[in-house]
Short mmCIF file of all heavy atoms in Angstrom, two decimals:
data_model
loop_
_atom_site.label_atom_id
_atom_site.label_comp_id
_atom_site.label_asym_id
_atom_site.label_seq_id
_atom_site.Cartn_x
_atom_site.Cartn_y
_atom_site.Cartn_z
N GLN A 380 280.48 111.73 220.78
CA GLN A 380 281.58 110.85 220.41
C GLN A 380 281.08 109.48 219.96
O GLN A 380 281.64 108.87 219.05
CB GLN A 380 282.55 110.69 221.59
CG GLN A 380 283.30 111.95 221.98
CD GLN A 380 284.39 112.31 220.99
OE1 GLN A 380 284.69 111.56 220.07
NE2 GLN A 380 284.98 113.49 221.16
N ARG A 381 280.03 109.02 220.61
CA ARG A 381 279.52 107.69 220.27
C ARG A 381 278.81 107.66 218.93
O ARG A 381 279.00 106.74 218.13
CB ARG A 381 278.57 107.20 221.36
CG ARG A 381 277.96 105.84 221.02
CD ARG A 381 277.06 105.31 222.09
NE ARG A 381 276.53 104.00 221.71
CZ ARG A 381 275.63 103.33 222.40
NH1 ARG A 381 275.14 103.83 223.52
NH2 ARG A 381 275.21 102.15 221.98
N TRP A 382 277.93 108.68 218.69
CA TRP A 382 277.03 108.59 217.55
C TRP A 382 277.46 109.37 216.31
O TRP A 382 277.29 108.88 215.18
CB TRP A 382 275.62 109.04 217.97
CG TRP A 382 274.95 108.07 218.86
CD1 TRP A 382 274.66 108.22 220.20
CD2 TRP A 382 274.47 106.77 218.50
NE1 TRP A 382 274.04 107.10 220.69
CE2 TRP A 382 273.91 106.19 219.66
CE3 TRP A 382 274.46 106.03 217.32
CZ2 TRP A 382 273.35 104.92 219.68
CZ3 TRP A 382 273.91 104.76 217.32
CH2 TRP A 382 273.36 104.22 218.49
N LEU A 383 277.98 110.56 216.47
CA LEU A 383 278.18 111.42 215.29
C LEU A 383 279.17 110.85 214.27
O LEU A 383 278.88 110.87 213.07
CB LEU A 383 278.57 112.83 215.73
CG LEU A 383 277.46 113.60 216.46
CD1 LEU A 383 277.95 114.98 216.86
CD2 LEU A 383 276.21 113.71 215.60
N PRO A 384 280.34 110.34 214.68
CA PRO A 384 281.23 109.75 213.66
C PRO A 384 280.60 108.58 212.93
O PRO A 384 280.79 108.43 211.72
CB PRO A 384 282.46 109.32 214.49
CG PRO A 384 282.43 110.18 215.71
CD PRO A 384 280.98 110.37 216.02
N GLU A 385 279.86 107.75 213.66
CA GLU A 385 279.20 106.61 213.03
C GLU A 385 278.11 107.06 212.05
O GLU A 385 277.94 106.47 210.98
CB GLU A 385 278.58 105.71 214.10
CG GLU A 385 279.60 104.98 214.96
CD GLU A 385 280.41 103.98 214.14
OE1 GLU A 385 279.81 103.01 213.63
OE2 GLU A 385 281.63 104.18 214.00
N MET A 386 277.38 108.10 212.41
CA MET A 386 276.32 108.59 211.55
C MET A 386 276.88 109.32 210.34
O MET A 386 276.36 109.18 209.23
CB MET A 386 275.38 109.50 212.35
CG MET A 386 274.66 108.77 213.48
SD MET A 386 273.70 109.85 214.57
CE MET A 386 272.22 110.08 213.58
N ALA A 387 277.94 110.08 210.52
CA ALA A 387 278.58 110.75 209.38
C ALA A 387 279.10 109.74 208.37
O ALA A 387 279.06 109.97 207.16
CB ALA A 387 279.72 111.65 209.87
N ALA A 388 279.58 108.59 208.86
CA ALA A 388 280.11 107.55 208.00
C ALA A 388 279.03 106.65 207.44
O ALA A 388 279.34 105.73 206.66
CB ALA A 388 281.14 106.72 208.77
N GLY A 389 277.78 106.87 207.83
CA GLY A 389 276.68 106.06 207.33
C GLY A 389 276.59 104.68 207.96
O GLY A 389 275.78 103.85 207.54
N ARG A 390 277.40 104.43 208.98
CA ARG A 390 277.33 103.14 209.67
C ARG A 390 276.18 103.08 210.67
O ARG A 390 275.79 102.00 211.11
CB ARG A 390 278.66 102.85 210.37
CG ARG A 390 279.82 102.60 209.41
CD ARG A 390 281.06 102.16 210.14
NE ARG A 390 281.62 103.21 210.96
CZ ARG A 390 282.55 104.08 210.56
NH1 ARG A 390 283.01 104.01 209.32
NH2 ARG A 390 283.01 105.00 211.37
N ALA A 391 275.67 104.25 211.04
CA ALA A 391 274.48 104.34 211.90
C ALA A 391 273.52 105.33 211.27
O ALA A 391 273.92 106.40 210.81
CB ALA A 391 274.85 104.78 213.32
N ILE A 392 272.25 104.96 211.21
CA ILE A 392 271.21 105.82 210.67
C ILE A 392 270.35 106.31 211.83
O ILE A 392 270.08 105.57 212.78
CB ILE A 392 270.35 105.07 209.64
CG1 ILE A 392 271.23 104.52 208.51
CG2 ILE A 392 269.25 105.97 209.08
CD1 ILE A 392 272.00 105.58 207.75
N GLY A 393 269.93 107.56 211.75
CA GLY A 393 269.10 108.14 212.80
C GLY A 393 267.74 108.57 212.27
O GLY A 393 267.55 108.78 211.08
#
Side-chain angles (χ1 to χ4, degrees):
Q380 293 287 353
R381 178 178 181 185
W382 289 110
L383 293 179
E385 291 295 296
M386 296 173 80
R390 292 187 292 268
I392 302 301

